[in-house]
Amino acid sequence: MSFLSHLECSRCRKTHDADRVQNLCDCGGPLLVRYDLKAVARAVRPADLAGRVSSLWRYREVLPVRDDKNIVTLGEGMTPLFPLPRLGAEIGLPDLWLKDEGLNPTASFKARGAATGVSRALELGIKALAMPTNGNAGGAWASYGARAGMSVTLVMPTDAPAMSVLEATAVGANAYMVRGQITDAGAIVGRSAKAHGWFEAATLKEPYRIEGKKTMGYEIAEQLGWSLPDVILYPTGGGVGIIGIYKALLEMREMGWLPENVRFPKLVAVQAEGCQPIVKAFREGKDVSEKWENASTVAQGIRVPKALGDFLVLQAVRETGGTCVAVSDADTLWGLERISRQEGAFICPEGAALVGAARMLLRDGWLNAGQRVLLLNTGAGIKYPDVMSPKLPVLELNATL
């Protein structure tokens, strides 16, 4: 069962009824889901998870769906976590690890947020969803919406990855493109949602996407035997993943699921040099970011000029002693080539940016070779066929190699 209690505004702390359809607080702040964690601690311990379903729904007590019949699932979660010894040796981090979200349904971590978001929407009686997307989120929400029998409308930039566009349309989304950024797509959705009776499911404009993504934090702890890495590097666009992982850490600590003396991992928000609003705010000591003009990067999933939850990302980074760093497209492509060839892990450009970031932070002395460093890859490389375009030699029929 779920121990869902209420919703709480992340800005003004006002409480809201979790069993009503909700977007933002009256003050404009994103709403966070709260549970009766003391009751959860009495009801379940980490050892009780053994033998449960191998998906994110194994953490049922701290997920927001009250009735099992409303769970919409494609088997998301419990993605592999494994060491990267060859890559680690090359860049000077011998205890380097990867959690690979590319093996989720819809081939990205967005499946987690879609699973919990669509499930809760179904439970609350929502029939039609609308959202802006850079690609992967749209494909995920369209897929889970189709499974739930919901209408899904998407607006995405004209240069969104072709595979994500194909995915969204294949499962029946009403998809449109705009000559602009995701913020421009969001403005169109915002203007249109009320007129058509759509529920606006944009990043952090509904409370339940975070709940699916926070399960990455639960899984990391469980997969490492209820210990934690020293550092987690995360590609940051809208920032829901890093917000969710920090939320999971706080929940696990309150429930006593982590050892009393455990230190939280330092959370590192990685952005692109061509779109680094959160990095700039961090360096300037600000609590919120400014919109980044003329955003451009090969890693389109982190091309978010202004994140609604930027203040929550900055809070998570600062409270864990982490940092924010921007990576050039050249370093991102270098990271993609090295992790693919050294470890056989063909990851997405957003995840590849973490390789370049780790090398940079080690060179700067922020990381050291004795730390356990976890790279959280958010999607599969095969969804970005235009990023690497090999030109192979063509053989004649009578050729010999």
Side-chain angles (χ1 to χ4, degrees):
M1 62 174 290
S2 172
F3 285 80
L4 173 64
S5 172
H6 62 278
L7 302 177
E8 180 183 73
C9 178
S10 56
R11 289 190 183 275
C12 71
R13 302 303 171 189
K14 179 180 177 180
T15 60
H16 296 257
D17 184 355
D19 291 313
R20 292 180 57 194
V21 175
Q22 303 273 7
N23 280 111
L24 300 175
C25 179
D26 299 334
C27 74
L31 299 179
L32 300 175
V33 182
R34 300 304 186 196
Y35 302 86
D36 184 347
L37 295 177
K38 291 182 179 179
V40 177
R42 292 192 297 267
V44 62
R45 301 299 299 162
D48 299 328
L49 301 175
R52 287 192 178 187
V53 61
S54 185
S55 79
L56 65 80
W57 297 101
R58 68 195 284 109
Y59 309 113
R60 186 74 178 81
E61 290 83 358
V62 288
L63 291 174
V65 181
R66 297 196 186 278
D67 192 328
D68 285 354
K69 72 180 183 182
N70 295 314
I71 292 177
V72 181
T73 181
L74 291 167
E76 56 287 336
M78 264 300 155
T79 54
L81 189 157
F82 52 88
L84 302 172
R86 295 183 65 199
L87 180 64
E90 178 179 337
I91 66 175
L93 292 169
D95 203 6
L96 186 65
W97 293 67
L98 180 76
K99 185 162 177 64
D100 192 0
E101 291 292 291
L103 296 179
N104 269 305
T106 76
S108 86
F109 81 123
K110 302 290 188 178
R112 293 180 185 266
T116 51
V118 169
S119 294
R120 188 63 176 148
L122 179 66
E123 189 160 67
L124 293 174
I126 293 170
K127 304 295 184 184
L129 301 167
M131 61 186 294
T133 177
N134 270 325
N136 277 325
W141 282 73
S143 296
Y144 283 82
R147 188 157 175 80
M150 290 182 185
S151 165
V152 177
T153 299
L154 305 174
V155 181
M156 62 189 79
T158 52
D159 59 354
M163 292 300 289
S164 294
V165 176
L166 173 60
E167 178 182 32
T169 54
V171 297
N174 305 308
Y176 302 86
M177 288 188 156
V178 60
R179 293 182 182 89
Q181 307 279 356
I182 190 171
T183 46
D184 302 302
I188 293 173
V189 171
R191 289 193 296 267
S192 307
K194 288 184 180 180
H196 294 282
W198 303 330
F199 178 74
E200 193 174 354
T203 301
L204 291 179
K205 285 192 176 180
E206 63 82 47
Y208 301 106
R209 182 188 301 215
I210 294 177
E211 297 308 290
K213 293 181 180 180
K214 80 178 182 186
T215 58
M216 292 184 288
Y218 280 90
E219 288 178 21
I220 289 167
E222 184 177 3
Q223 289 171 315
L224 293 176
W226 301 103
S227 65
L228 296 170
D230 297 304
V231 181
I232 298 175
L233 277 71
Y234 201 96
T236 304
V240 179
I242 207 165
I243 296 167
I245 289 173
Y246 185 53
K247 187 174 188 288
L249 293 171
L250 294 172
E251 289 178 354
M252 288 187 287
R253 183 172 67 184
E254 185 172 343
M255 293 187 296
W257 283 21
L258 297 172
E260 290 184 6
N261 61 346
V262 71
R263 290 185 178 181
F264 283 180
K266 296 179 179 180
L267 299 177
V268 179
V270 178
Q271 297 198 296
E273 283 187 352
C275 185
Q276 50 174 309
I278 292 175
V279 175
K280 182 175 183 288
F282 179 82
R283 290 173 177 168
E284 294 175 352
K286 296 180 179 178
D287 294 330
V288 296
S289 67
E290 300 170 355
K291 183 180 178 181
W292 190 270
E293 299 297 338
N294 302 314
S296 176
T297 173
V298 69
Q300 295 187 24
I302 54 175
R303 192 184 63 186
V304 179
K306 170 66 175 173
L308 179 63
D310 51 6
F311 69 102
L312 293 172
V313 174
L314 290 162
Q315 179 184 14
V317 168
R318 288 177 173 138
E319 291 186 358
T320 60
T323 191
C324 299
V325 62
V327 178
S328 69
D329 279 356
D331 277 347
T332 292
L333 294 174
W334 172 85
L336 181 57
E337 188 259 348
R338 296 319 298 156
I339 193 171
S340 299
R341 297 191 178 187
Q342 290 283 55
E343 301 290 354
F346 184 29
I347 65 176
C348 67
E350 295 80 9
L354 306 180
V355 181
R359 181 177 66 165
M360 181 189 309
L361 291 171
L362 182 65
R363 287 176 176 174
D364 291 346
W366 195 89
L367 287 176
N368 67 71
Q371 292 174 305
R372 173 165 288 183
V373 177
L374 175 62
L375 311 180
L376 213 156
N377 172 52
T378 51
I382 57 174
K383 296 195 79 173
Y384 299 82
D386 296 334
V387 172
M388 297 177 71
S389 301
K391 291 181 171 54
L392 304 182
V394 178
L395 304 176
E396 298 300 328
L397 294 178
N398 62 350
T400 302
L401 297 178

